[in-house]
Amino acid sequence: MKSIRKTDIFDGESVDQLAQRIIDHLLQWRCLDAFCDKQILTILDKTESTLKPLPAMLQIEHPVTIFGDIHGQLDSLIRYFDAVGYPPKVQFLFLGDYVDRGAKSLEVSLLLFCYKIRYPHVVHLLRGNHECMKMNRLYGFHEELARKRGTRMWKRYQNVFNELPLCARVGQKILCMHGGISQNCTSWESFRNLKKPNTPKTCDEGLQVDLMWADPTQDKCNAFAINQQRAISVVFGEKALTDFMKKLGLSLIVRAHEVSQDGFNFLFNRKIVTVFSAPYYCGNDTNCGAIMHISPSYEISFTVLRPRMIQTSENADVVRQMENNYKDLMAKSPDPNRGRHLTPAPIPVQPVSIPPLLAPVAPGPPIQIPPLISEMVEMKK
């Protein structure tokens, strides 16, 4: 009689139990080889039904930890969890771009879907531009799924992506999305009336396309202009951002979508911050990755993962460039124990002088956000 493996489908096993087994297996083995297509499709069905009732804009209360782009970098995702904690002990908001570019988009997306199934009120997933069919058809996810599971599963994934919300408000004064702001937004009613796009055409229209694609720019652009670099959506300058935030009574915009050498980047007198969570992006960028923490009292801090390369005669110039990029990032953490176990030896730290994050608000008492503090966690390639 054929024995039943631990990872085979159990009679009477609930979807929650299956999701937990997949989580445990991914954290230990970093792969899904032990699970059949039927099990993975079961997770996709449950994820879709969990996301479907959610509005296009989520309302989330702090404290919360925010991820930017992950792009299939499973090891980096797990390193962040090791550093700051796993669901449900920590509330997480993910800003999209879970797939493409990296080698383990299937594993990253399924791990997050399983966490969403297990802890739907603690793990929040937004849609990035790579969760649109026309993007993940071209930039790696389709090829990965065709190789690992077949194109039928890739098509099934698109139905799940179509149910992902597009933005989230944290408290009353912070707005988060993958891309950026839009001239198609006139009030909070615009967000309340927003529908999740469910076709390639509707992904490229109106407010939704800007929430997934728009970029801030410091070029000679005070308002909105065509995003010529991406050939879709818009770029926006400081005046457009200031007017948008004043109209909605916001203090900070948090977005992803662009690589940052430090893992995060503030613009326009700290009105907007870009968070990018994929270090050593695509294996040829020397960038750090970061996640952002918003505390119960609106303190802002970052956990930064830094790639480390073994210096050789061929890459000596790249290593020197990386080291120069990281000098200004060495800073004390608000939690001295966070991430300490991730490095074999202590990392020298020095304080970084960063002015307080200002919080201009509409009527009502202002939010006091203390000075920004960042933490460096060294990561081996």
Side-chain angles (χ1 to χ4, degrees):
M1 182 177 177
K2 184 179 177 181
S3 61
I4 298 178
R5 299 177 304 164
K6 181 180 179 182
T7 49
D8 284 335
I9 298 175
F10 292 165
D11 288 337
E13 181 181 44
S14 69
V15 179
D16 274 19
Q17 290 170 328
L18 173 60
Q20 188 60 55
R21 287 203 295 122
I22 292 176
I23 290 170
D24 295 340
H25 192 86
L26 279 171
L27 295 181
Q28 181 175 2
W29 301 107
R30 310 295 205 265
C31 72
L32 289 164
D33 293 349
F35 296 91
C36 67
D37 289 359
K38 181 178 179 181
Q39 291 168 304
I40 295 177
L41 290 170
T42 297
I43 294 298
L44 296 182
D45 289 342
K46 179 63 174 179
T47 305
E48 182 181 0
S49 65
T50 301
L51 295 171
K52 199 176 187 68
L54 299 179
M57 183 184 73
L58 302 177
Q59 177 65 52
I60 300 172
E61 299 306 319
H62 50 300
V64 63
T65 291
I66 301 175
F67 274 79
D69 302 45
I70 302 171
H71 282 302
Q73 295 188 201
L74 179 65
D75 287 341
S76 299
L77 174 60
I78 294 175
R79 295 289 298 277
Y80 286 119
F81 285 149
D82 284 340
V84 304
Y86 287 75
K89 293 184 178 179
V90 180
Q91 179 178 215
F92 290 102
L93 171 62
F94 295 85
L95 300 184
D97 277 15
Y98 316 114
V99 302
D100 286 338
R101 308 291 192 182
K104 293 196 172 183
S105 296
L106 171 62
E107 289 80 2
V108 164
S109 58
L110 209 70
L111 178 61
L112 296 180
F113 289 171
C114 287
Y115 273 130
K116 181 63 179 177
I117 292 169
R118 294 286 289 118
Y119 311 110
H121 303 296
V122 174
V123 175
H124 311 283
L125 306 176
L126 300 187
R127 188 174 189 175
N129 61 306
H130 281 267
E131 281 72 56
C132 294
M133 178 183 288
K134 71 174 186 179
M135 294 298 291
N136 62 64
R137 174 65 179 85
L138 298 175
Y139 290 95
F141 190 49
H142 178 270
E143 186 277 330
E144 179 183 337
L145 264 289
R147 173 169 41 87
K148 292 179 178 178
R149 296 287 169 167
T151 56
R152 175 187 170 218
M153 186 169 291
W154 173 77
K155 292 178 181 178
R156 182 69 189 84
Y157 252 93
Q158 307 311 314
N159 295 335
V160 182
F161 290 159
N162 287 341
E163 297 300 336
L164 288 167
L166 298 175
C167 59
R169 182 165 62 167
V170 178
Q172 299 298 313
K173 301 296 182 180
I174 299 176
L175 182 64
C176 307
M177 75 287 287
H178 180 76
I181 66 171
S182 177
Q183 56 192 332
N184 294 299
C185 173
T186 57
S187 67
W188 284 115
E189 201 63 27
S190 301
F191 288 100
R192 297 186 188 100
N193 294 333
L194 182 62
K195 304 297 182 183
K196 292 182 280 191
N198 56 14
T199 66
K201 184 177 184 295
T202 53
C203 283
D204 292 346
E205 296 176 342
L207 175 55
Q208 52 265 37
V209 68
D210 298 330
L211 290 173
M212 291 187 284
W213 280 96
D215 293 311
T217 179
Q218 293 181 297
D219 293 339
K220 296 177 180 179
C221 170
N222 283 323
F224 292 93
I226 295 173
N227 194 330
Q228 295 181 348
Q229 182 176 359
R230 298 189 187 272
I232 189 172
S233 187
V234 296
V235 294
F236 54 91
E238 184 171 8
K239 184 178 186 304
L241 180 71
T242 302
D243 292 345
F244 177 89
M245 295 177 68
K246 183 177 181 181
K247 188 188 314 179
L248 298 181
L250 293 168
S251 299
L252 180 67
I253 300 290
V254 184
R255 44 94 65 175
H257 197 41
E258 290 183 289
V259 180
S260 170
Q261 283 299 310
D262 298 338
F264 64 93
N265 180 43
F266 280 94
L267 282 177
F268 306 145
N269 198 25
R270 303 190 182 278
K271 294 185 182 76
I272 186 169
V273 59
T274 296
V275 182
F276 193 82
S277 303
Y280 205 60
Y281 180 50
C282 294
N284 56 22
D285 211 318
T286 60
N287 66 289
C288 294
I291 56 177
M292 175 178 171
H293 312 283
I294 302 176
S295 78
S297 56
Y298 280 99
E299 291 177 331
I300 305 296
S301 63
F302 294 85
T303 296
V304 177
L305 287 189
R306 144 184 189 181
R308 184 173 64 185
M309 298 176 65
I310 298 174
Q311 183 168 332
T312 66
S313 57
E314 290 79 11
N315 68 7
D317 290 341
V318 176
V319 173
R320 281 195 292 271
Q321 177 187 343
M322 291 171 67
E323 293 300 323
N324 289 334
N325 289 344
Y326 304 144
K327 284 181 181 178
D328 292 339
L329 275 176
M330 295 303 206
K332 293 181 179 180
S333 167
D335 178 0
N337 293 313
R338 177 184 293 160
R340 178 175 293 173
H341 61 287
L342 294 181
T343 64
I347 300 174
V349 297
Q350 61 185 27
V352 176
S353 177
I354 303 179
L357 179 61
L358 301 179
V361 296
I367 297 176
Q368 298 298 323
I369 303 182
L372 172 70
I373 307 172
S374 65
E375 170 188 356
M376 176 65 68
V377 179
E378 192 166 15
M379 186 185 76
K380 293 183 179 179
K381 168 71 170 64

